[in-house]
Amino acid sequence: MSDISIILLAAGNSTRFECGIKKQWLRIGDLPLWQFVTNRFIESKKFADVIITGHPEEADYMRLHGNYTVVKGGESRQDSLKSALSHVHTPYVMVTDVARGCIDSKLISRLIDNRDKADSIVPVLHMHDTVVYKGNTIDRAELLRIQTPQLSVSGVLKSALKTETEYTDDSSAIVATGGTRHFIEGDETARKLTTIADLAALECLQKPSATILTGNGFDVHAFDTSGKMVLCGVDIDHPVGFKAHSDGDVAIHALIDALLGAAGIGDIGMLFPDTDDTYKGIDSTLLLTKTVALLRCYGFGIVNADITIAAQTPRLAAYKTKMRHRLGELLKLPPVRIGLKATTTEKLGFIGRNEGVAVMASATLNYIDWTQL
Ligand code: MG
């Protein structure tokens, strides 16, 4: 049985709705990068426990990907690490970053084989370029590039991090508190991935699979004499609007659920709760825009959407083209990728009695091909 736990840091700190595609969610084949890297460590069978830190708003979603120990991260790398360390019960702990996606197993073995040499075992790379500091050429033999993963005595690392001082790596915290550090030869495969371009250099990362995911959504809103009617982000000339916490755009609500359903993220009520006053009377196109951004953040592209509006009134034929263009703008798709149908229910049921409108929507997603970005 191994006496080492591994912590994988994947709690990127971009805010939930305001991010481009996040590194940890880039797809490697069918798996997000964090899962691909985690599986490699699990399959190595070198660790007693594998602990992943996730962004607080992503942790639940990460757990839906499999039986992983996901700990909610904090504001900084160090806060996230401290949270994860509280789950470590083994004498040794290795800490890495999911952005280092292709670490050679020989480097992991070298770290483990040297674990008795000091409180912290650190891979380093030597400088091969001439280095000039403030106008003077300095002795490059004295310069070391520190890498992760690093292997530490768990108790020593836990104590070293009982501080407000932020360290950029574990060994610096350990040395600052009187601990010892031992350097071993690092490896170019432990390169950190900071930009999408760095990914291309990592040969173990295959491009995303061509998987297509489908989702459906359904919503009903009752008519209400107050307010104007909006459907698919288009103002409808009708004497009544919809009863709702938001602007009542029932078509966009169904579409958001279809998109979230395809991604397996949840539903509109989870993301934009109607108990939250932020969303009172809100323009639903803003909710759709946030949803589209969120999908991108998680590495999803939208392929198409299709909507059926069931309404006895209003008559929608004159609005359909405008609706397709408006939704196309919001989903960043040409209108041909937005299906839009309207039907009555032959005067049957609550729709036929003119009490409200029901909408069904479906959507398909793919994985963004980061090799083409
Ligand atoms: Mg609704």
Side-chain angles (χ1 to χ4, degrees):
M1 186 64 180
S2 169
D3 53 2
I4 308 168
S5 298
I6 185 155
I7 294 174
L8 295 126
L9 301 169
N13 51 14
S14 20
T15 63
R16 189 165 192 180
F17 294 118
E18 286 152 281
C19 56
I21 178 166
K22 290 176 83 166
K23 308 189 264 215
Q24 61 264 44
W25 290 103
L26 296 169
R27 288 308 185 290
I28 312 304
D30 253 325
L31 303 179
L33 177 63
W34 70 262
Q35 189 181 7
F36 171 81
V37 174
T38 302
N39 287 357
R40 280 169 58 112
F41 282 104
I42 292 171
E43 285 155 15
S44 77
K45 298 196 166 64
K46 288 179 171 143
F47 302 94
D49 293 303
V50 178
I51 299 157
I52 312 146
T53 66
H55 189 281
E57 289 174 332
E58 295 171 13
D60 288 340
Y61 185 48
M62 290 169 78
R63 290 186 194 107
L64 291 171
H65 287 69
N67 186 22
Y68 297 100
T69 303
V70 181
V71 175
K72 287 185 180 177
E75 286 291 305
S76 65
R77 176 191 190 274
Q78 201 155 304
D79 287 340
S80 298
L81 180 52
K82 282 192 223 179
S83 306
L85 279 170
S86 68
H87 294 259
V88 169
H89 307 292
T90 49
Y92 298 94
V93 60
M94 193 178 287
V95 181
T96 189
D97 172 339
V98 290
R100 295 179 206 254
C102 297
I103 298 168
D104 187 57
S105 62
K106 292 195 211 82
L107 174 60
I108 304 299
S109 298
R110 271 206 297 286
L111 283 160
I112 294 174
D113 294 345
N114 283 282
R115 68 181 180 278
D116 297 331
K117 299 258 172 71
D119 295 323
S120 174
I121 313 301
V122 181
V124 292
L125 293 176
H126 297 274
M127 292 294 293
H128 301 299
D129 300 314
T130 297
V131 182
V132 175
Y133 178 71
K134 293 189 174 173
N136 299 311
T137 302
I138 57 174
D139 182 4
R140 66 186 178 201
E142 292 296 320
L143 291 174
L144 297 174
R145 285 164 57 200
I146 284 196
Q147 294 191 299
T148 73
Q150 299 178 3
L151 180 62
S152 304
V153 174
S154 306
V156 176
L157 182 57
K158 285 180 189 179
S159 306
L161 293 180
K162 283 180 187 156
T163 170
E164 294 303 308
T165 311
E166 286 280 331
Y167 294 97
T168 53
D169 81 308
D170 313 333
S171 73
S172 299
I174 286 177
V175 170
T177 48
T180 54
R181 171 163 65 187
H182 176 73
F183 294 125
I184 63 162
E185 191 62 35
D187 195 292
E188 280 296 343
T189 58
R191 257 163 45 104
K192 190 172 181 187
L193 187 165
T194 42
T195 65
I196 298 277
D198 293 339
L199 276 168
L202 297 179
E203 281 173 11
C204 83
L205 301 184
Q206 55 183 127
K207 64 186 239 172
S209 72
T211 299
I212 293 282
L213 301 150
T214 68
N216 68 71
F218 177 73
D219 198 19
V220 172
H221 277 253
F223 290 138
D224 184 28
T225 48
S226 62
K228 57 178 188 167
M229 180 177 287
V230 188
L231 278 172
C232 301
V234 172
D235 290 336
I236 308 294
D237 184 17
H238 200 57
V240 293
F242 292 114
K243 191 186 281 183
H245 184 69
S246 66
D247 67 358
D249 192 330
V250 55
I252 285 190
H253 298 176
L255 176 58
I256 289 174
D257 267 352
L259 292 165
L260 295 176
I265 289 175
D267 61 28
I268 189 170
M270 274 171 61
L271 246 63
F272 312 111
D274 63 10
T275 48
D276 185 340
D277 278 348
T278 317
Y279 304 118
K280 197 165 166 39
I282 197 168
D283 176 348
S284 295
T285 63
L286 296 176
L287 305 183
L288 181 57
T289 300
K290 281 174 182 282
T291 304
V292 172
L294 182 69
L295 293 175
R296 185 170 174 79
C297 163
Y298 283 127
F300 296 108
I302 302 167
V303 179
N304 83 314
D306 189 24
I307 293 171
T308 300
I309 301 174
Q312 199 63 44
T313 65
R315 291 289 187 187
L316 296 172
Y319 295 98
K320 283 201 275 187
T321 302
K322 197 172 177 188
M323 287 173 169
R324 295 176 78 181
H325 279 271
R326 182 71 183 119
L327 291 177
E329 281 167 19
L330 294 163
L331 299 187
K332 302 189 179 82
L333 289 175
V336 70
R337 295 286 191 98
I338 316 282
L340 201 288
K341 291 97 63 195
T343 181
T344 69
T345 57
E346 302 292 343
K347 300 198 172 163
L348 294 171
F350 69 90
I351 297 167
R353 290 191 300 272
N354 237 332
E355 293 167 12
V357 166
V359 178
M360 289 186 298
S362 58
T364 53
L365 304 179
N366 60 6
Y367 298 133
I368 295 169
D369 183 358
W370 49 264
T371 65
Q372 302 299 314
L373 292 177

